[in-house]
Amino acid sequence: MAESSPSKPNSTIDPYEFLEIKLNPDGSLTRNDNVPTVPPSSDPNQTVLSKDIILNTTTNTSIRIFLPNPPPPSSAAKLPLILYFHGGGFFRYHPSSISFHQCCSTFAAQIPIVVASVAHRLTPEHRLPAAYDDAIDSLFWLRAQAQNPSVSDPWIRDNVDFDNCFLMGSSAGGNIAYFAGLRALDLDLSPLKIQGLIMNAPFFGGVQRTKSELRFINDNILPLSASDLMWALSLPEGTDRDHVYCNPKVSDVIHGEKIGRLPRCFVNGYGGDPLVDRQKELVKILEARGVHVESVFCEDGFHAVELFDPAKAQALLDYVKKFISSVDT
């Protein structure tokens, strides 16, 4: 389990100012970060094609598909698929946000693989478990693509190996991948087969502070006050950070042996991430339940470093490629 220490004074950083958000009287957020977005691309000169499709008109969710260009010839083996959940503390960003669009494009081109990036509902307008519900919607959509080739999207129908699918997420997206994986255990997704979960710097927390949270209390990327606020905006109202969605130890108590039924897992983390103790705790829980876990924890690096450091981005891609290629389908 993660080493923990008694509660101490919180970060001195104003989380609303740091995150560039304002909470409105009606409970919605004004988001002022103005992150650039990228439209999908059908440019035949690009190494990856992308397009947006509607997932659920009621919830206003969508999926951005990334396809290597040129796609594999019809005589070649079809490609694995990553169902991807972006980061952003559950409350911001979108598959069109430039960092996540570029990440998915690079994965699609270099592994190569088809990526389906989910635009889930955001908190606090849609608190958890809304994002998990949207993740399951995306799994049902993918199952329908496999079951009904006559009406499925041609990019998916012609290029995806439905026996070789993965759930992947970064930060909050890693948390979504974990809980989507647990929910999927109770669903009949055939002929779809989830071969593994890939969690990059997954976002977890708890009431009791870990040593890494206290060590990086005023972190430049994820200060403790910002982390606390993101959970306060995301968890069901009236709950705290020891909720099952947040604390891995509580998840272990509630889900118990079910965790042991998860497919192979890969967890990536960094020594300079305030969340690193929580991530190592999750790995120990998975291992104790008998899950095949591969983990890499670099001594250096910080939360979301792969969005800033090309070498770390390439290392993550290489780890993911190795994990995917090692699956015996």
Side-chain angles (χ1 to χ4, degrees):
M1 294 188 297
E3 296 177 284
S4 57
S5 302
S7 296
K8 293 183 179 181
N10 287 337
S11 168
T12 57
I13 295 173
D14 182 323
Y16 288 96
E17 181 178 334
F18 179 84
L19 296 172
E20 299 181 272
I21 57 176
K22 178 184 177 183
L23 186 60
N24 302 315
D26 64 357
S28 66
L29 276 187
T30 298
R31 300 164 175 86
N32 297 311
D33 48 352
N34 297 320
V35 174
T37 58
V38 180
S41 175
S42 58
D43 183 350
N45 297 314
Q46 297 293 318
T47 58
V48 174
L49 304 177
S50 54
K51 66 179 175 181
D52 295 331
I53 65 167
I54 297 298
L55 177 59
N56 187 318
T57 55
T58 301
T59 56
N60 195 30
T61 51
S62 62
I63 293 179
R64 178 164 290 189
I65 306 172
F66 298 82
L67 178 70
N69 185 37
S74 57
S75 60
K78 292 189 176 183
L79 297 172
L81 178 138
I82 285 177
L83 194 61
Y84 184 80
F85 307 102
H86 65 78
F90 302 109
F91 78 93
R92 65 180 173 188
Y93 301 144
H94 185 272
S96 64
S97 300
I98 187 167
S99 294
F100 297 109
H101 176 92
Q102 291 176 343
C103 173
C104 291
S105 294
T106 302
F107 272 60
Q110 293 193 24
I111 291 182
I113 196 167
V114 177
V115 180
S117 183
V118 181
H120 61 78
R121 286 170 290 174
L122 301 178
T123 62
E125 293 88 351
H126 305 281
R127 288 177 176 266
L128 297 175
Y132 306 150
D133 295 341
D134 298 339
I136 297 305
D137 258 4
S138 67
L139 280 171
F140 285 147
W141 165 82
L142 192 57
R143 180 186 67 180
Q145 301 295 302
Q147 289 178 336
N148 304 299
S150 62
V151 296
S152 63
D153 185 279
W155 284 15
I156 301 295
R157 179 191 64 223
D158 297 341
N159 298 291
V160 169
D161 175 4
F162 293 106
D163 285 332
N164 204 7
C165 298
F166 298 81
L167 305 182
M168 178 179 176
S170 294
S171 192
N175 176 292
I176 295 171
Y178 175 68
F179 284 104
L182 284 172
R183 283 195 183 188
L185 297 172
D186 297 328
L187 303 174
D188 179 7
L189 295 174
S190 57
L192 188 69
K193 188 170 183 180
I194 300 172
Q195 293 285 358
L197 309 184
I198 302 168
M199 294 171 277
N200 175 43
F203 186 36
F204 290 93
V207 171
Q208 189 82 349
R209 305 304 192 186
T210 66
K211 288 188 174 182
S212 63
E213 288 171 341
L214 294 174
R215 187 162 61 249
F216 303 111
I217 193 169
N218 289 314
D219 185 64
N220 290 330
I221 300 296
L222 190 62
L224 192 58
S225 60
S227 179
D228 287 353
L229 177 57
M230 287 189 283
W231 282 117
L233 294 172
S234 302
L235 291 169
E237 292 191 72
T239 64
D240 63 21
R241 293 188 307 278
D242 282 339
H243 191 278
V244 61
Y245 299 156
C246 180
N247 191 325
K249 290 188 289 187
V250 177
S251 169
D252 186 42
V253 170
I254 289 180
H255 292 294
E257 294 181 3
K258 184 177 181 180
I259 292 173
R261 294 164 47 206
L262 286 171
R264 299 163 72 253
C265 293
F266 174 73
V267 180
N268 185 66
Y270 303 100
D273 185 349
L275 305 180
V276 68
D277 284 352
R278 303 282 184 194
Q279 295 155 4
K280 290 180 177 179
E281 180 178 84
L282 175 66
V283 168
K284 290 181 179 179
I285 289 170
L286 292 169
E287 290 175 338
R289 292 292 182 181
V291 179
H292 176 95
V293 185
E294 298 177 28
S295 62
V296 175
F297 290 98
C298 301
E299 291 186 10
D300 63 344
F302 49 85
H303 191 74
V305 64
E306 72 281 352
L307 300 181
F308 305 91
D309 183 340
K312 285 289 191 287
Q314 186 63 47
L316 175 61
L317 185 146
D318 291 342
Y319 292 138
V320 172
K321 183 175 182 177
K322 180 181 178 182
F323 180 74
I324 289 173
S325 65
S326 66
V327 170
D328 182 11
T329 57

